[in-house]
Amino acid sequence: MRTSLFFICLLGVFLCSCGDDIHKGYRAPGYDQVLEKQRILNNTKAVKSINSYDELGCEIYDIPKREEGKAFLDYELGDDQKEGTGSFKLIYNFTGNSTADAPECVYFGQRWGDYRVDLSFYPLGLSIWVKGKKGNKGLFRFIIMEDEKQFNADAPHDYTRKRWSYFAYEDAEVLSKEGWNRIIMPYSAFKLYRKGEGTTSNELLMNRNEGFRIEIENTTNEACGGEFQIDNLEQLTSYELKAGKPKFSSIFIQLNKEAYENEDWDQQFQDSRAVGIDTWIIQYSEQFTGNDDDTNVSFYKNTNLPWVQVKCDIIDKMFEAAERNGMNIILGLYPGDYSKTNTADPTKYNTNLERNKMLFDEVYEQFGNNPCLVGWYITEEFHDGSYPVGWQQEPALSMLAKYLEGVASYIKQKSDKPVSIAPALWRGMPADLCGEWFGRIFAQTPNIDYLYLQDIGGRCLVDFDVDLPNWYAEIKKACDANGVKFGVDIESFKSCNCPNIGYKAKDWSELKEQLFVAGLFTEYITNFSWVTFKKGTNNYAGYKQYLEDNGLL
């Protein structure tokens, strides 16, 4: 499930104390919130949907059991929607047991993990649709939760939330308004609601947010209940994508014996050259088809590696056809994997390193001097996220870097061809910290030449216009500072858990947007993969027409 693989959202309700640290002054002297909201609407360009509230089953919802005699909140799918295919209905009940210092409150919240939101990108504000009901009582409060010290070396996460600061926007009327009403929430209107322990800043740090919550406060001290619906929480930005005329510089292919053993590579390469792509990246030279290191296949025939059980000559035939068709090949090596339980354990790194060396020696002997070989690819993919363990902190980060450099430096002892890697962008950290994280890796990997950053754009987990340019810019800084060429690996497939979309080739209209964003940062743009881009797909035809229309062929 997407929820178990990528990030954890915590949705909860509780009786909260609203004490002396609450600030009711949400309008500073001279501040006109009406004009500010209009300014935001006038300047909004790129918009990210943070949560569409279309399906209950797409996230993990954690709501404590109701306690007798206390306020509660529950949720379910709404009976209509403003946008998309669904909405959430929030049902709340107050007992009337408020005090002046502790009014009854219930809340509904979401916390980021991997695939997080970074509000600092061309920031304007947030927007959410609310459908109230006549007679509802209570104050609507939207809170941004942030941790000024998140991802620090001593304590990357504060699971107690004691060091979190809360910034709030209030609306006293929307819960009782019938029909759908859009609340525009300027960041400038959020005021400090509760300051975290050890926090120095009193200002909203939009790139250190941990999530949000919607809080309903009983302002009447009466026993009462109500219900309202919410739809489509959005991040509003002033960013406007101004596309150039980028092209794909290469394409990935993921080999398997059944699909490609009898392939006509001359025809495939001719189709590739017909859309200006003359470089293919072979993802790996072997494939494991069983558990862990069992039952594996070699895609080149002359191998004596002890773990190989099945041999075929796919790569041999690809090099032969590449020579006939003027194609270039970047050859991937050993298809290993990292530990799923402990990335600070050297065992997997050591195994992968030794097997990469053994495999490289074989393929270099056979293909190293082939004129079509233009580079090498370290197959094992990593990411910046935390699931299931990740490499965000030491010593795992440096162990990963040492492994990558071990493979790359071994390659460079024999070959002067560049070495590439293609980690996935999981947005496990805010964009600026993610860039710094890559910088710490690259400082230890001088023999890595190219980064092809997977945009994960085929998995319904990223906004192309808001997320990608934000993280691209910061990671490119790390590449530039360390002599690594920044590239992007665009996913031309679509396969999502929420909404449920089976694996397929995506349409050109969507792929084009990914290409345009990548083109703002690099000319090194690859595509994963040929099977969802080859001749006969909508995106192949659309891309070819795009090239012809812009004189790029």
Side-chain angles (χ1 to χ4, degrees):
M1 272 184 79
R2 166 188 164 190
T3 50
S4 62
L5 291 177
F6 302 122
F7 66 95
I8 299 175
C9 294
L10 300 177
L11 294 174
V13 293
F14 77 127
L15 183 65
C16 58
S17 174
C18 305
D20 294 337
D21 55 351
I22 295 175
H23 299 268
K24 299 296 186 182
Y26 284 78
R27 291 181 181 172
Y31 178 77
D32 191 324
Q33 197 173 119
V34 174
L35 291 178
E36 178 65 8
K37 290 180 179 181
Q38 189 58 53
R39 183 191 72 83
I40 288 175
L41 291 173
N42 293 342
N43 288 279
T44 295
K45 303 296 183 184
V47 175
K48 170 187 171 68
S49 179
I50 296 173
N51 195 326
S52 64
Y53 300 113
D54 285 339
E55 300 181 47
L56 290 175
C58 287
E59 318 297 349
I60 296 175
Y61 301 133
D62 180 19
I63 294 184
K65 295 180 180 179
R66 298 183 188 180
E67 294 185 53
E68 189 69 28
K70 292 188 177 181
F72 70 85
L73 182 147
D74 206 347
Y75 65 93
E76 60 188 33
L77 280 178
D79 48 27
D80 71 345
Q81 64 277 337
K82 177 61 181 179
E83 299 178 5
T85 60
S87 66
F88 279 14
K89 179 186 291 185
L90 307 185
I91 305 119
Y92 62 95
N93 184 274
F94 294 123
T95 65
N97 295 325
S98 295
T99 66
D101 293 331
E104 287 181 296
C105 297
V106 290
Y107 80 80
F108 171 96
Q110 179 173 346
R111 182 188 169 217
W112 316 138
D114 294 338
Y115 304 99
R116 67 178 47 245
V117 175
D118 186 329
L119 301 178
S120 66
F121 184 70
Y122 288 76
L124 291 175
L126 298 173
S127 166
I128 190 170
W129 287 95
V130 177
K131 183 180 181 180
K133 194 172 184 180
K134 187 175 181 180
N136 276 350
K137 296 179 181 179
L139 174 71
F140 177 93
R141 181 181 293 124
F142 190 98
I143 296 173
I144 297 174
M145 305 179 293
E146 71 174 35
D147 181 0
E148 178 183 294
K149 300 179 180 179
Q150 64 181 199
F151 297 101
N152 70 65
D154 296 329
H157 305 288
D158 174 24
Y159 298 107
T160 70
R161 305 191 182 191
K162 291 180 179 179
R163 74 185 189 201
W164 290 16
S165 291
Y166 295 177
F167 291 81
Y169 173 93
E170 292 182 350
D171 191 312
E173 301 173 351
V174 70
L175 293 180
S176 60
K177 289 183 177 179
E178 296 185 320
W180 285 104
N181 294 278
R182 188 184 188 192
I183 304 179
I184 305 296
M185 299 176 283
Y187 293 129
S188 56
F190 282 83
K191 300 301 178 182
L192 184 61
Y193 178 71
R194 189 176 77 190
K195 189 171 183 177
E197 293 180 3
T199 298
T200 59
S201 176
N202 292 323
E203 303 298 323
L204 179 61
L205 304 174
M206 289 177 287
N207 59 356
R208 295 295 180 268
N209 62 92
E210 290 280 357
F212 77 91
R213 75 182 191 191
I214 294 171
E215 188 172 281
I216 310 301
E217 179 182 320
N218 185 355
T219 55
T220 65
N221 197 28
E222 299 174 358
C224 60
E227 62 181 48
F228 63 100
Q229 297 184 69
I230 56 173
D231 203 356
N232 202 17
L233 173 63
E234 293 180 312
Q235 176 183 355
L236 310 180
T237 80
S238 60
Y239 178 73
E240 184 174 12
L241 190 153
K242 297 180 179 179
K245 297 179 181 179
K247 300 187 295 181
F248 289 114
S249 60
S250 63
I251 194 161
F252 263 93
I253 185 166
Q254 186 181 75
L255 297 180
N256 70 76
K257 185 176 184 295
E258 289 72 21
Y260 293 115
E261 190 166 24
N262 298 307
E263 184 60 76
D264 182 348
W265 293 112
D266 289 294
Q267 184 62 58
Q268 297 302 317
F269 286 155
Q270 289 164 19
D271 291 345
S272 179
R273 290 191 66 88
V275 289
I277 299 175
D278 65 359
T279 301
W280 279 34
I281 304 174
I282 298 176
Q283 186 177 9
Y284 37 60
S285 294
E286 296 178 349
Q287 181 185 36
F288 291 105
T289 56
N291 294 325
D292 198 23
D293 296 344
D294 296 331
T295 320
N296 74 87
V297 178
S298 173
F299 296 121
Y300 61 98
K301 62 182 179 182
N302 294 322
T303 177
N304 293 310
L305 297 177
W307 57 86
V308 170
Q309 298 180 3
V310 179
K311 303 176 184 180
C312 55
D313 59 356
I314 295 174
I315 290 177
D316 307 78
K317 291 178 179 177
M318 291 180 74
F319 270 101
E320 293 168 2
E323 289 190 64
R324 292 191 294 269
N325 292 278
M327 293 292 290
N328 301 315
I329 290 178
I330 297 172
L331 187 57
L333 299 176
Y334 176 75
D337 202 356
Y338 298 105
S339 173
K340 298 294 194 299
T341 57
N342 184 6
T343 49
D345 182 344
T347 305
K348 273 286 190 178
Y349 300 112
N350 293 339
T351 299
N352 288 342
L353 178 58
E354 291 309 308
R355 290 195 172 194
N356 265 292
K357 289 178 178 180
M358 294 170 69
L359 190 152
F360 171 75
D361 286 341
E362 282 197 343
V363 294
Y364 179 78
E365 180 69 24
Q366 297 175 55
F367 309 112
N369 293 315
N370 189 297
C372 298
L373 180 74
V374 296
W376 306 95
Y377 173 61
I378 300 176
T379 296
E380 292 88 4
E381 299 172 358
F382 60 97
H383 55 76
D384 62 296
S386 60
Y387 181 87
V389 280
W391 298 265
Q392 291 179 344
Q393 302 295 325
E394 296 289 4
L397 183 151
S398 289
M399 294 179 75
L400 171 66
K402 181 181 178 181
Y403 163 70
L404 295 171
E405 178 60 16
V407 178
S409 62
Y410 188 81
I411 291 171
K412 295 293 182 69
Q413 291 177 15
K414 293 184 177 181
S415 175
D416 61 357
K417 301 293 192 298
V419 177
S420 301
I421 58 174
L425 177 61
W426 280 22
R427 303 196 318 279
M429 293 169 275
D432 63 327
L433 296 183
C434 188
E436 293 174 7
W437 180 81
F438 271 100
R440 292 198 297 274
I441 292 175
F442 292 145
Q444 302 177 65
T445 57
N447 284 294
I448 297 295
D449 302 294
Y450 287 84
L451 166 74
Y452 286 99
L453 185 68
Q454 295 179 41
D455 72 348
I456 55 95
R459 313 178 207 184
C460 300
L461 291 168
V462 63
D463 183 275
F464 304 149
D465 295 344
V466 175
D467 294 328
L468 291 183
N470 189 11
W471 267 266
Y472 283 176
E474 296 297 333
I475 296 170
K476 186 177 186 301
K477 290 179 186 176
C479 288
D480 293 345
N482 290 278
V484 178
K485 291 182 174 61
F486 176 78
V488 174
D489 178 6
I490 290 175
E491 293 180 347
S492 57
F493 66 85
K494 194 155 191 175
S495 177
C496 309
N497 287 321
C498 281
N500 186 15
I501 299 174
Y503 193 91
K504 65 177 183 178
K506 64 173 53 176
D507 290 336
W508 165 242
S509 59
E510 186 174 339
L511 187 64
K512 177 172 65 175
E513 190 174 359
Q514 294 166 262
L515 177 63
F516 283 171
V517 174
L520 299 175
F521 298 90
T522 183
E523 63 183 282
Y524 305 108
I525 307 174
T526 192
N527 175 331
F528 190 94
S529 66
W530 181 246
V531 72
T532 50
F533 184 78
K534 64 184 180 180
K535 187 175 182 179
T537 62
N538 172 271
N539 52 43
Y540 179 96
Y543 180 61
K544 186 175 183 181
Q545 188 64 54
Y546 158 76
L547 295 176
E548 292 172 349
D549 292 346
N550 288 279
L552 299 174
L553 275 180

